[in-house]
Amino acid sequence: ERLRKAYVRLAPVSDAANVRPAVTDEEGRFVFENIQPGNYSLEAEHQGLIEGKYGEHAGTPVELRIVN
């Protein structure tokens, strides 16, 4: 289901201080531009819902690998 105004963060696994934030639009979409290749974690939160990481429901958060 679409979720507008959710806060989404993309963080490099090797540099958690370099977080890229985004907010979902009316359709629940978001974009991160100019991302360098590497491994990232994807987190999201929305008021009234539990904060979570992509893949966390499986027990261990999934790392996303971005390549050129």
Side-chain angles (χ1 to χ4, degrees):
E1 192 168 320
R2 298 174 185 148
L3 189 59
R4 68 181 195 83
K5 293 189 178 180
Y7 297 95
V8 184
R9 294 177 298 279
L10 185 69
V13 172
S14 62
D15 182 10
N18 192 14
V19 175
R20 306 283 297 268
V23 178
T24 60
D25 66 13
E26 296 295 322
E27 297 295 317
R29 296 176 296 206
F30 60 93
V31 174
F32 295 107
E33 296 180 349
N34 302 316
I35 302 300
Q36 297 298 314
N39 294 333
Y40 293 84
S41 66
L42 182 64
E43 302 177 12
E45 66 178 280
H46 189 276
Q47 187 174 5
L49 299 175
I50 297 173
E51 181 178 339
K53 293 184 180 183
Y54 175 73
E56 192 170 39
H57 71 280
T60 304
V62 173
E63 290 181 10
L64 304 173
R65 177 169 289 195
I66 298 174
V67 297
N68 272 345

